[in-house]
């Protein structure tokens, strides 16, 4: 399966110039800080989260948190990096199934929906992207990578004869991205994503049935 050069990576911002610990308890401490910060960002947003709050949740001193991250922006960037690091792994797992292109799109997004439903790092990354104007650090432009990837897959689906003649892959990809992220945002706003999987199933059935041939 071909695919475009989708950039889901985040370049290290200047806010986090200190080297990360590479072994032992340092790695474990950093990971614990990220997990806790992700939960707090997801629940309270960027403005409502503080380094002191992260430290207190972990039973650490603020100085230990500062040892790993220079400020709150550095933690936010690291959480968003972890958010985007999930997707190449999921894509590789789906590619290994060797499904037809249209089914690959559906399977990929079904798995991403599960991640949004269960993974606090994914949830936190999504909220930080929505609140990106409050984060004084460089974050990637959201959604573009997904549009590029899905456009590539839908072009393959067209070439494989899976799409209706009138379906334009680029337009369809934009519709799928808008549908997926709209559904997850509505689900989060109304029900804390408890009904996300059901909402996405309904949306996905409508979208993919409209694209595919009978």
């Amino acid at each position: 399966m071909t695919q475009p050069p989708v950039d889901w990576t985040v370049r290290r911002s200047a806010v986090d110039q200190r080297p990360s610990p590479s072994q032992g308890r340092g790695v474990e401490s950093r990971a614990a800080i990220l997990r806790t910060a992700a939960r707090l960002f997801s629940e309270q947003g960027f403005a409502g989260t503080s380094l002191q709050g992260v430290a207190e949740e972990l039973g650490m001193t603020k100085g230990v948190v500062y040892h790993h991250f220079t400020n709150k922006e550095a933690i936010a960037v690291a959480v968003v990096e972890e958010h985007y690091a999930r997707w190449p792994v999921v894509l590789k797992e789906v590619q290994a199934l060797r499904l037809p292109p249209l089914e690959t799109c559906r399977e990929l997004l079904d798995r991403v929906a599960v991640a949004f439903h269960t993974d606090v790092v994914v949830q936190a990354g999504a909220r930080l992207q929505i609140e990106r104007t409050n984060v004084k650090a460089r974050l990637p432009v959201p959604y573009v990578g997904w549009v590029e990837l899905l456009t590539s897959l839908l072009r393959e689906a067209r070439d494989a004869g899976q799409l209706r003649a009138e379906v334009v892959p680029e337009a369809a990809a934009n519709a799928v991205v808008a549908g997926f992220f709209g559904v997850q945002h509505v689900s989060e706003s109304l029900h804390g994503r408890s009904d996300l999987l059901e909402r996405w199933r309904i949306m996905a059935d409508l979208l993919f049935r409209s694209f595919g041939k009978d």
Side-chain angles (χ1 to χ4, degrees), residues 125-141:
R127 181 158 183 175
L128 288 168
Q129 284 286 31
I130 290 172
E131 299 178 359
R132 58 190 291 113
T133 57
N134 295 326
V135 183
K136 305 306 179 184
R138 182 172 174 242
L139 299 179
V141 178

Side-chain angles (χ1 to χ4, degrees), residues 6-10 80-81 84-85 87-88 91 108 140 145-146 149:
V6 179
D7 184 7
W8 273 322
T9 62
V10 183
V80 173
E81 286 179 339
Y84 280 97
W87 309 140
L91 177 60
L108 175 62
W146 282 112
L149 176 61

Side-chain angles (χ1 to χ4, degrees), residues 93-211:
E93 291 172 350
V94 174
Q95 287 175 324
L97 299 176
R98 298 186 179 278
L99 300 171
L102 199 58
E103 286 75 6
T104 294
C105 287
R106 176 66 185 266
E107 179 67 21
L108 175 62
L109 290 168
D110 285 352
R111 294 187 183 209
V112 172
V114 172
F116 271 91
H117 182 59
T118 61
D119 189 334
V120 70
V121 171
V122 171
Q123 296 165 358
R127 181 158 183 175
L128 288 168
Q129 284 286 31
I130 290 172
E131 299 178 359
R132 58 190 291 113
T133 57
N134 295 326
V135 183
K136 305 306 179 184
R138 182 172 174 242
L139 299 179
V141 178
Y143 314 127
V144 174
W146 282 112
V147 171
E148 291 178 352
L149 176 61
L150 295 178
T151 295
S152 178
L153 287 169
L154 289 169
R155 284 173 179 163
E156 291 183 17
R158 176 196 60 195
D159 295 343
Q162 288 191 287
L163 298 187
R164 298 177 187 272
E166 67 272 19
V167 174
V168 178
E170 294 82 355
N174 275 284
V176 171
V177 170
F180 178 88
F181 286 98
V183 160
Q184 78 85 20
H185 181 65
V186 170
S187 177
E188 190 279 328
S189 297
L190 297 181
H191 302 294
R193 294 192 180 90
S194 63
D195 62 348
L196 172 57
L197 299 183
E198 178 62 15
R199 283 178 180 269
W200 168 242
R201 184 190 64 77
I202 294 169
M203 175 64 77
D205 286 349
L206 289 171
L207 287 169
F208 285 99
R209 285 173 184 168
S210 70
F211 298 157

Side-chain angles (χ1 to χ4, degrees), residues 10-18 20 30 33-34 37 41 46 51 65-82 128 135-139:
V10 183
R11 305 299 191 272
R12 283 278 178 192
S13 170
V15 300
D16 190 10
Q17 294 294 335
R18 299 179 184 177
S20 301
R30 188 177 190 277
I33 292 168
L34 278 180
F41 284 139
F46 182 77
L51 291 185
V65 178
Y66 272 121
H67 176 73
H68 295 277
F69 299 98
T70 56
N71 52 34
K72 186 167 66 169
E73 282 77 8
I75 301 182
V77 169
V79 169
V80 173
E81 286 179 339
E82 291 297 322
L128 288 168
V135 183
K136 305 306 179 184
R138 182 172 174 242
L139 299 179

